């Protein structure tokens, strides 16, 4: 597996801190691998290390609660600073109390968790002021290329637009196996992590809402629009319940919602939100007859790539016209418009027209899958294949 230095370099400065290091994110995004890579790095300087994986039945059968965990560590740690790695800790009863205790006794504690038992709101509440968290995402394209090379395979941009960046899917040689793996992962995330956790009784209705949301990536969505969709299909669900379900999806790192910014009010418009999937594979496995939504997946891919590179993103409302992103990093802002292609004259006019009446105080960028350079005197065109290999929007 490739070294994910992008994440490790952010965690490294906390190796010796008494703050609890939480590595979180959607299932199978590579958290355990990163934990292992950190452990290997620390092993070069000390052998006072304890590692426990709570998905291992031998571990969970021996250690069932926080008291047993504390006892095990006390009996197995050596004198001096001990580095403790607890993988998928959320399955352990009382994990919060164990973590709060361990950090007090010359330990450096690293934990991972992915399902909704280790939600951001939960570790914020339980470990307030005692932790730093690091969210891990599925592979971006440069990581896919690196891992594909390690596997002696190739991965095209189109393959990435359809099947996304869950690392293990790259290990399968045929599409049927990829789809089987992704469907099994999807079932685990939706059923095990959400339906079972929240004891959702109307599971078929919940799955229907999940399907609608994940197929609506890169689109403006609201609880009201979902309510209207269900009304058309003769299903009943209150708007409050829909809002609750959307919160579940976001808390489990399955979706992210991005607000729209209005320069007129100089504020976020909470009733205008776009939804992005944690990985476009969550859209593609729901598509019928291989009619994959490459147009919206492309925008979703760029969203994930920009977040990976450290940009803050909002949707920008420009005098009634939507600009996909206002990206901000280190005080610098960029207007970014995304289209699959602007070869067609109407598409060209529509996409470039979104920048109308904007001054040149911030750079205007359009990203498409075209091979032709459509840059103008005021708008820089970046080809998707070039964008995916960039580290920064400032690269020319």
């Amino acid at each position: 597996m490739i070294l994910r230095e992008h994440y490790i370099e952010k965690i490294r400065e906390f190796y010796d801190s008494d703050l609890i290091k939480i590595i979180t994110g959607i299932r199978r995004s590579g958290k355990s691998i990163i934990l292992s890579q950190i452990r290997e790095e620390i092993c070069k300087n000390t052998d006072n290390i304890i590692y426990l994986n709570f998905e291992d039945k031998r571990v969970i059968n021996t250690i069932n609660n926080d008291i047993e965990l504390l006892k095990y560590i006390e009996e197995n740690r050596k004198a001096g600073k001990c580095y403790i790695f607890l993988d998928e800790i959320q399955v352990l009863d009382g994990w919060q109390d164990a973590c709060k205790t361990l950090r007090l006794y010359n330990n450096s504690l690293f934990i991972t968790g992915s399902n909704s038992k280790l939600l951001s709101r939960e570790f914020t509440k339980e470990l307030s002021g005692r932790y730093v968290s690091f969210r891990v995402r599925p592979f971006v394209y440069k990581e896919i290329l690196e891992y594909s090379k390690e596997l002696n395979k190739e991965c095209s941009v189109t393959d990435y637009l359809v099947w996304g960046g869950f690392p293990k899917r790259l290990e399968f040689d045929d599409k049927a196996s990829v789809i089987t793996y992704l469907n099994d992962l999807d079932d685990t995330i939706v059923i095990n992590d959400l339906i079972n956790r929240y004891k959702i009784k109307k599971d078929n209705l919940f799955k229907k809402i999940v399907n609608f949301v994940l197929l609506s990536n890169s689109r403006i969505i609201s609880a009201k629009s979902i309510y209207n969709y269900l009304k058309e299909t003769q299903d009943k669900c209150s708007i409050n319940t829909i809002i609750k379900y959307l919160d579940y999806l976001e808390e489990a790192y399955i979706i992210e919602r991005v607000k729209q910014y209005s320069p007129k009010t100089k504020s976020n418009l909470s009733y205008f939100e776009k939804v992005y999937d944690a990985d476009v594979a969550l859209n593609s496995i729901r598509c019928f007859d291989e009619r994959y939504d490459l147009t919206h997946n492309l925008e979703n891919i760029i969203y994930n790539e920009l977040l990976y590179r450290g940009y803050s993103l909002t949707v920008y409302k420009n005098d009634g016209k939507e600009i996909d992103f206002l990206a901000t990093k280190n005080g610098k802002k960029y207007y970014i418009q995304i289209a699959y292609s602007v070869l067609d004259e109407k598409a060209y006019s529509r996409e470039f027209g979104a920048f109308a009446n904007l001054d040149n105080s911030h750079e205007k960028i359009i990203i498409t899958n075209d091979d032709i350079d459509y840059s103008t005197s005021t708008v820089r065109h970046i080809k998707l294949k070039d964008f995916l290999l960039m580290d920064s929007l400032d690269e020319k």
Side-chain angles (χ1 to χ4, degrees), residues 160-178:
Y160 180 39
L161 288 175
V162 176
W163 301 119
F166 282 113
K168 193 168 183 63
R169 71 95 176 166
L170 295 160
E171 299 173 12
F172 298 102
D173 292 324
D174 61 276
K175 185 171 70 173
S177 298
V178 170

Side-chain angles (χ1 to χ4, degrees), residues 18-22 99 103 109 111 127 130-132:
D18 65 351
L19 293 172
I20 301 165
K21 279 70 68 177
I22 302 175
C99 289
R103 67 177 289 272
L109 181 60
I111 67 174
L127 306 176
R130 305 179 182 94
Y131 74 93
V132 285

Side-chain angles (χ1 to χ4, degrees), residues 19-32:
L19 293 172
I20 301 165
K21 279 70 68 177
I22 302 175
I23 303 171
T24 190
I26 194 170
R27 277 189 183 271
R28 301 298 175 255
S29 55
K31 299 178 300 300
S32 296

Side-chain angles (χ1 to χ4, degrees), residues 94-221:
W95 66 267
Q96 306 94 324
D97 293 330
C99 289
K100 285 187 285 188
T101 300
L102 286 170
R103 67 177 289 272
L104 299 176
Y105 295 96
N106 200 21
N107 299 309
S108 180
L109 181 60
F110 301 79
I111 67 174
T112 75
S114 48
N115 74 23
S116 56
K117 287 186 179 179
L118 191 60
L119 302 176
S120 58
R121 70 176 181 184
E122 291 188 347
F123 61 68
T124 298
K125 176 183 176 182
E126 300 290 345
L127 306 176
S128 179
R130 305 179 182 94
Y131 74 93
V132 285
S133 66
F134 306 90
R135 178 173 174 180
V136 175
R137 299 174 181 274
F139 279 171
V140 293
Y141 189 59
K142 285 197 292 186
E143 291 179 306
I144 286 177
L145 291 180
E146 187 178 353
Y147 192 42
S148 295
K149 184 177 180 180
E150 189 176 290
L151 297 172
N152 293 314
K153 295 181 177 182
E154 293 184 358
C155 182
S156 67
V157 171
T158 300
D159 179 88
Y160 180 39
L161 288 175
V162 176
W163 301 119
F166 282 113
K168 193 168 183 63
R169 71 95 176 166
L170 295 160
E171 299 173 12
F172 298 102
D173 292 324
D174 61 276
K175 185 171 70 173
S177 298
V178 170
I179 294 173
T180 297
Y181 166 72
L182 292 172
N183 275 312
D184 288 344
L185 174 58
D186 186 85
D187 286 342
T188 299
I189 292 169
V190 174
I191 297 173
N192 290 355
D193 290 356
L194 294 178
I195 292 178
N196 292 342
R197 162 67 193 280
Y198 291 109
K199 297 179 174 57
I200 297 172
K201 295 180 181 179
K202 295 182 178 180
D203 55 336
N204 287 330
L205 177 63
F206 178 72
K207 290 177 186 177
K208 191 169 190 175
I209 292 172
V210 170
N211 289 338
F212 178 82
V213 171
L214 293 176
L215 281 168
S216 301
N217 62 328
S218 308
R219 297 168 176 88
I220 290 176
I221 198 171

